[in-house]
């Protein structure tokens, strides 16, 4: 029987952790862009856009992430789109992130006083101009801490993609466990890696919150 | 007043309900260019709602609003042309807190009127100078007193060169010692021939500055005319009572 050193295990986990980080970044950035579009639709003066955005958000907030990944992974091939575990994971997490960020940001937009909408409307600004120049710059200040806080959820969400066969740090942990028969050690290390990724994010969310509160 | 002259602002049969409550019950009103009109009345009489409907901040349920050839009716959605002709100043100032005084004034000139940088800058400086705040161009709203903020808000509206300026209780949120500086600016505008429609509780100011007083009661115009006439000889018991109340303060 082969023997594995601690370094063998850890180095393989760290290699797989690259994919956790990369997937998190992709999901967060593209989810952020999609979330912004979704937010604009959600607060727009056009009723069909509002309803569609709301429906999207409700569906993704009201179902488990795992099920969303299953649907992307198994359903897309049925309609003729071939997907890899990679693509499915990226698409699924992006949609999930977009729905949550849109809803977090909607709260921030609604925290901007109504008078700001009225004053900018009185100056003949259109909805996109109001958003771009008056509302979003103010909402952004409020949005930074909860957005960074949510990025922790995205990192942890990547673990679920192991179930559709994407090899990130959790999946690598399972594979290494199967070879080493040391689940406690391996999953303990996996947990530490997640903590090392998430804890700095939580800390910076708290620091940003304090900083932006003082600046007011 | 020549009979052929069409009024600058013309309201015909304006109706508005909030749920089951009808707050405007068919209001007709006309304001000519250069006139200064004050709307008075108890809270809930519909005066603020009427004022806010003139630039489409309140969607009306019936009637037609015309300002210098631009129309608003209940079905109309695009208000951009109308709003360029109607300025508005609010009770709570509503300055953009993330922009300096100068940027507050310049924003709509840049975004809506598409003027170039030099033109907007000059217009903003002129507008701020007009309200006596030329030296506060780079100050943020949080660094200004309430009276100064309200004067910046007036400058912001004026820079758009509106045909008429709506003022919605613009001194009600101010400390008493700051009211005079804002009213001074409004008085100057009136003297320069700006068309003004004000909702106000400053009766003495209304009496001194306005050409016409409009007394609203229960969603209708109960009485209107020159201030002196209305104050000295109110013809409805409601107005007599209202004047009694405010003068007793």
């Amino acid at each position: 029987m082969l023997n594995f050193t601690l370094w063998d295990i850890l180095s393989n986990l760290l290699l797989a952790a690259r994919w956790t980080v990369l997937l998190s970044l992709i999901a967060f950035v593209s989810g952020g862009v999609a979330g912004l579009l979704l937010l604009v639709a959600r607060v727009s003066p056009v009723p069909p856009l509002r309803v569609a955005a709301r429906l999207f958000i409700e569906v993704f907030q009201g179902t488990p992430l795992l099920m969303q990944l299953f649907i992307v992974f198994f359903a897309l091939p049925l309609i003729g789109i071939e997907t890899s575990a990679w693509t499915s994971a990226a698409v699924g997490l992006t949609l999930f992130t977009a729905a949550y960020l849109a809803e977090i940001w909607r709260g921030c937009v609604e925290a901007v006083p109504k008078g700001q909408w009225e004053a900018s409307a009185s100056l003949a600004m259109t909805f996109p101009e109001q958003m771009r120049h008056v509302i979003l710059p103010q909402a952004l200040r409020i949005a930074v801490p909860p957005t960074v806080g949510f990025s922790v959820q995205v990192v942890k969400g990547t673990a679920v993609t192991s179930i559709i066969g994407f090899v990130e740090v959790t999946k690598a942990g399972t594979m290494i466990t199967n070879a080493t028969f040391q689940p406690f050690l391996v999953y303990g290390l996996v947990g530490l890696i997640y903590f090392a990724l998430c804890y700095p994010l939580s800390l910076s969310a708290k620091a940003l919150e304090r900083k932006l509160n003082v600046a007011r | 007043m020549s009979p052929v002259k069409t009024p600058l602002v013309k309201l015909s049969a304006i109706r508005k309900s909030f749920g089951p409550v009808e707050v405007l019950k068919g209001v007709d009103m006309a304001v000519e260019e250069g006139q200064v009109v004050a709307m008075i009345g108890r809270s809930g009489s519909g005066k603020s709602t009427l004022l806010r409907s003139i630039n489409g901040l309140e969607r009306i349920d019936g009637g037609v609003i015309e300002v210098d050839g631009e129309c608003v009716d209940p079905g109309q959605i695009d208000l951009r042309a109308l709003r360029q002709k109607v300025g508005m100043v609010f009770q709570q100032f509503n300055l953009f807190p993330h922009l300096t005084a100068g940027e507050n004034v310049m924003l709509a000139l840049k975004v809506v009127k598409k003027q170039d940088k030099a033109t907007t800058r000059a217009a903003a400086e002129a507008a701020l100078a007009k309200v006596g705040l030329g030296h506060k161009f780079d100050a943020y709203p949080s660094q200004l007193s309430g009276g100064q903020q309200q004067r910046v808000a007036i400058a912001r509206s004026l820079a758009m060169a509106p045909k008429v300026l709506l003022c919605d209780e613009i001194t009600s949120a101010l400390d008493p010692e700051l009211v005079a500086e804002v009213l001074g600016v409004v008085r100057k505008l009136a003297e320069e021939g700006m068309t003004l429609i004000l909702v106000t509780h400053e009766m003495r100011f209304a009496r001194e500055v306005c050409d016409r007083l409009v007394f609203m009661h229960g969603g209708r115009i109960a009485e209107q005319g020159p201030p002196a006439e209305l104050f000295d000889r109110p013809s409805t018991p409601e107005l007599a009572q209202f004047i009694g109340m405010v003068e007793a303060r």
Side-chain angles (χ1 to χ4, degrees):
Chain A
M1 191 182 146
L2 275 168
N3 271 323
F4 295 94
T5 63
L6 181 64
W7 175 244
D8 285 333
I9 296 171
L10 188 60
S11 62
N12 278 295
L13 286 178
L14 286 174
L15 285 175
R18 289 179 307 173
W19 300 111
T20 294
V21 171
L22 187 65
L23 182 63
S24 303
L25 281 175
I26 289 176
F28 192 69
V29 171
S30 50
V33 173
L36 187 63
L37 296 176
L38 207 52
L39 164 74
V40 171
R42 181 71 180 82
V43 298
S44 84
V46 188
L49 275 181
R50 276 209 305 271
V51 172
R54 193 166 152 205
L55 206 66
F56 180 95
I57 293 168
E58 296 286 348
V59 165
F60 277 84
Q61 289 198 333
T63 55
L65 174 60
L66 181 58
M67 195 221 71
Q68 295 161 17
L69 289 170
F70 278 158
I71 288 186
V72 174
F73 188 60
F74 293 115
L76 288 185
L78 290 182
I79 55 168
I81 306 170
E82 283 307 316
T83 52
S84 62
W86 222 144
T87 333
S88 304
V91 170
L93 270 177
T94 296
L95 297 178
F96 167 84
T97 306
Y100 274 89
L101 284 182
E103 197 62 7
I104 290 171
W105 293 342
R106 184 180 68 89
C108 301
V109 164
E110 280 174 5
V112 176
K114 203 165 147 256
Q116 296 289 310
W117 287 100
E118 294 191 342
S120 48
S122 300
L123 291 165
M125 292 167 78
T126 58
F127 171 75
E129 291 164 356
Q130 291 176 288
M131 283 299 270
R132 158 83 183 74
H133 297 286
V134 178
I135 305 301
L136 287 182
Q138 295 181 57
L140 188 71
R141 296 177 64 83
I142 324 169
V144 172
T147 304
V148 175
F150 179 73
S151 66
V152 172
Q153 303 300 322
V154 178
V155 174
K156 292 192 292 186
T158 59
V160 179
T161 64
S162 63
I163 296 182
I164 57 169
F166 179 65
V167 185
E168 37 64 73
V169 68
T170 304
K171 179 77 178 173
T174 308
M175 290 155 76
I176 293 170
T177 302
N178 289 341
T180 61
F181 307 109
Q182 288 180 296
F184 185 73
L185 173 67
V186 175
Y187 286 122
L189 289 172
V190 169
L192 282 176
I193 292 175
Y194 278 115
F195 189 76
L197 289 173
C198 293
Y199 190 58
L201 288 172
S202 300
L203 279 186
S204 54
K206 282 204 190 75
L208 282 166
E209 196 164 348
R210 264 198 307 274
K211 198 172 151 205
L212 291 175
N213 275 340
V214 171
R216 256 163 188 253
Chain B
M1 255 192 271
S2 66
V4 286
K5 196 175 168 191
T6 50
L8 181 67
V9 179
K10 188 160 179 268
L11 311 178
S12 320
I14 306 301
R15 291 184 172 278
K16 168 79 188 175
S17 301
F18 291 114
V21 186
E22 194 172 32
V23 286
L24 296 176
K25 300 172 179 168
V27 177
D28 296 297
M29 191 170 117
V31 178
E32 319 233 329
E33 199 163 349
Q35 266 192 334
V36 179
V37 177
M39 298 202 275
I40 57 170
R42 277 189 230 170
S43 58
S45 61
K47 54 192 194 308
S48 264
T49 307
L50 185 65
L51 190 77
R52 289 160 55 85
S53 69
I54 298 176
N55 73 345
L57 281 185
E58 297 291 352
R59 184 80 73 85
I60 51 173
D61 299 324
V64 178
I65 298 166
E66 274 176 76
V67 181
D68 193 33
E70 305 294 340
C71 269
V72 197
D73 56 54
Q76 186 158 351
I77 294 172
D78 183 18
L79 296 162
R80 198 166 168 94
L82 173 103
R83 283 178 173 162
Q84 293 197 48
K85 294 187 173 180
V86 184
M88 181 141 187
V89 184
F90 300 85
Q91 184 177 348
Q92 299 294 342
F93 329 138
N94 295 344
L95 290 182
F96 307 134
H98 59 300
L99 302 177
T100 63
E103 288 165 344
N104 261 278
V105 181
M106 291 191 291
L107 180 63
L109 297 176
K110 185 178 75 182
V111 172
V112 177
K113 299 225 165 184
K114 316 277 184 224
Q115 293 176 354
D116 64 62
K117 223 173 183 169
T119 317
T120 50
R121 172 102 200 175
E125 279 169 354
L128 283 175
K130 186 165 191 160
V131 298
L133 291 172
H135 58 296
K136 293 288 186 186
F137 195 93
D138 293 317
Y140 281 92
S142 57
Q143 300 166 321
L144 299 173
S145 73
Q148 290 173 329
Q149 289 190 50
Q150 193 59 294
R151 282 147 67 197
V152 172
I154 294 173
R156 181 172 70 177
S157 282
L158 285 181
M160 294 291 282
K163 290 279 185 178
V164 51
L165 189 64
L166 311 176
C167 300
D168 191 5
E169 299 194 28
I170 61 170
T171 56
S172 300
L174 294 173
D175 293 337
E177 73 272 19
L178 302 175
V179 169
E181 62 184 81
V182 171
L183 291 185
V185 169
V186 177
R187 187 188 296 261
K188 201 169 88 181
L189 290 177
E191 281 161 8
E192 288 170 6
M194 184 79 201
T195 312
L196 293 164
I197 307 177
L198 321 145
V199 167
T200 185
H201 294 295
E202 302 286 337
M203 291 306 148
R204 216 175 59 150
F205 178 79
R207 188 169 186 154
E208 285 168 16
V209 175
C210 297
D211 303 309
R212 179 150 55 100
L213 218 55
V214 172
F215 174 66
M216 302 246 342
H217 186 81
R220 288 195 176 85
I221 294 180
E223 209 170 324
Q224 59 178 318
E229 207 167 283
L230 256 67
F231 275 118
D232 298 339
R233 290 178 296 281
S235 57
T236 56
E238 288 83 10
L239 179 57
Q241 196 199 3
F242 179 76
I243 291 172
M245 275 183 342
V246 274
E247 282 183 348
R249 277 200 305 199

